[in-house]
Amino acid sequence: MATFGRGLTAAIPVALGYFPVAVSFGIGAAQAGWSVAEAGFVSAVMYSGAAQFVALTLIAGGTAPLVTIITLVLMGVRHLFYGPTLARTAKDATFRRSAVWSYGLTDEVFAVALAQLSRQRVAWSEPWLTGLGLGAYASWVSGTVLGAWLGVWGTEFPPFISDTLRFMLPALFLALVLSLLTKESLAMVGVAVVATGIAAVFLSGAAPIFFGMGAAALVAAGKQHVRGAQ
Amino acid sequence: MSFIITVIVVGLANYAFRFLPIKLAANRVQHVGGPFGAALGALGAGAIAALFVLGASDFYPQAWLPATAGFGAVAVLMWRTKNVAVATIVGALVYALVRLV
């Protein structure tokens, strides 16, 4: 049985990767004139890494609140697909506690959950998902508070350690991609990688993710269609 | 005041994007088959592959050697152990060691 504690353990790579990024956000927030409480409040309530850095730039730059809100909301649209995608790994399961665990459904938490559930390394369990999400969330919020505190005192996280920990997130994504890789999914993943790479040349932020997702979905649907026609 | 409102509105929107599709569609998508079902099932792998590309691109070209060594270590460890946490942590250590050298 996948428990809350096991979820917390599964969150360790995510938490380690989040921490330096959150510290950087906190330092940036302090340098922009935000208090420790304000920086912590943003991380606790908004809880969306890339969007928070954009928020920092927009708010500190005096952008109109409505423009800021629209920009940041659009950045979060990709999350619409995460819940239903996870749900497909949970045949006949119920979602009684989804109001709790869905709060922590970030890119990284989703990726870890999907990889573990798809490979049936853990059975569908809402306490497990809650532990996974809480571990990542605690790291993000505490890292922000520490960073803002360091920023207020004019100190910074040692760059070498920060850079190494920052490498953990792409390393984690690679490990997760490889854990999902089968003969069947090879073409789909390959096309997603190429589509994202091309989109990233022309688009910034989270937009290239849609191209990766769309390309993978098209390949999978096409293969299924051909199989159905045979 | 506009600061607090902005943060709360964006936070609520993020939460709605994460929670509402589960509330509204989760039970329905569980048994969807055919090309649409296959496409839905592929969205996750596509998203993770895309997140890897975007995350890795931060390290190229300026840290290409330690990054390539780190990713290589992740690939080897995944092939040998299939343990995501171990592969990730060792990959980061290899990145740090090569960066030091």
Side-chain angles (χ1 to χ4, degrees):
Chain A
M1 180 66 187
T3 59
F4 177 80
R6 285 191 178 186
L8 279 177
T9 309
I12 290 173
V14 179
L16 287 174
Y18 271 6
F19 198 73
V21 184
V23 170
S24 304
F25 173 75
I27 290 171
Q31 286 169 348
W34 295 4
S35 67
V36 175
E38 284 171 332
F41 173 68
V42 171
S43 276
V45 175
M46 210 181 273
Y47 191 35
S48 181
Q52 287 182 219
F53 280 96
V54 173
L56 192 57
T57 310
L58 294 178
I59 294 172
T63 308
L66 189 62
V67 176
T68 304
I69 287 171
I70 291 170
T71 307
L72 300 178
V73 167
L74 286 176
M75 285 184 76
V77 171
R78 69 186 183 283
H79 293 114
L80 280 171
F81 300 101
Y82 289 176
T85 305
L86 275 187
R88 282 184 61 80
T89 66
K91 298 271 187 233
D92 301 317
T94 56
F95 306 96
R96 278 190 292 267
R97 298 181 195 170
S98 59
V100 176
W101 60 260
S102 65
Y103 189 81
L105 207 50
T106 60
D107 296 329
E108 294 76 13
V109 167
F110 162 73
V112 171
L114 182 70
Q116 301 253 19
L117 291 164
S118 310
R119 303 279 294 182
Q120 290 168 348
R121 286 179 173 268
V122 292
W124 175 264
S125 155
E126 292 189 293
W128 181 82
L129 281 165
T130 308
L132 173 64
L134 189 65
Y137 182 73
S139 168
W140 184 255
V141 177
S142 61
T144 301
V145 170
L146 175 67
W149 185 78
L150 289 174
V152 167
W153 291 96
T155 334
E156 292 205 2
F157 215 50
F160 176 72
I161 295 173
S162 170
D163 192 43
T164 300
L165 289 172
R166 198 167 57 89
F167 181 77
M168 288 197 80
L169 289 181
L172 173 65
F173 288 132
L174 177 61
L176 293 171
V177 168
L178 294 174
S179 78
L180 289 171
L181 215 54
T182 58
K183 217 170 165 184
E184 183 79 0
S185 65
L186 194 61
M188 182 180 83
V189 169
V191 169
V193 166
V194 173
T196 309
I198 294 171
V201 174
F202 302 101
L203 301 165
S204 59
I209 296 172
F210 288 108
F211 285 83
M213 292 168 81
L218 279 176
V219 171
K223 280 175 87 172
Q224 184 65 32
H225 181 70
V226 169
R227 207 175 289 142
Q230 281 170 350
Chain B
M1 191 62 188
S2 70
F3 171 82
I4 293 173
I5 292 170
T6 301
V7 174
I8 289 175
V9 170
V10 176
L12 283 173
N14 279 340
Y15 180 54
F17 289 153
R18 290 168 184 170
F19 170 59
L20 289 181
I22 301 169
K23 184 82 183 159
L24 300 174
N27 287 315
R28 272 171 246 164
V29 299
Q30 278 180 330
H31 302 285
V32 174
F36 183 64
L40 269 178
L43 285 175
I48 300 170
L51 288 163
F52 163 65
V53 172
L54 292 185
S57 67
D58 285 348
F59 294 87
Y60 291 88
Q62 71 279 12
W64 72 271
L65 185 59
T68 307
F71 290 136
V74 171
V76 169
L77 278 155
M78 281 306 292
W79 174 49
R80 302 298 297 177
T81 69
K82 305 256 184 265
N83 187 316
V84 170
V86 169
T88 305
I89 291 166
V90 174
L93 288 175
V94 169
Y95 170 85
L97 281 174
V98 176
R99 196 172 174 270
L100 271 178
V101 177

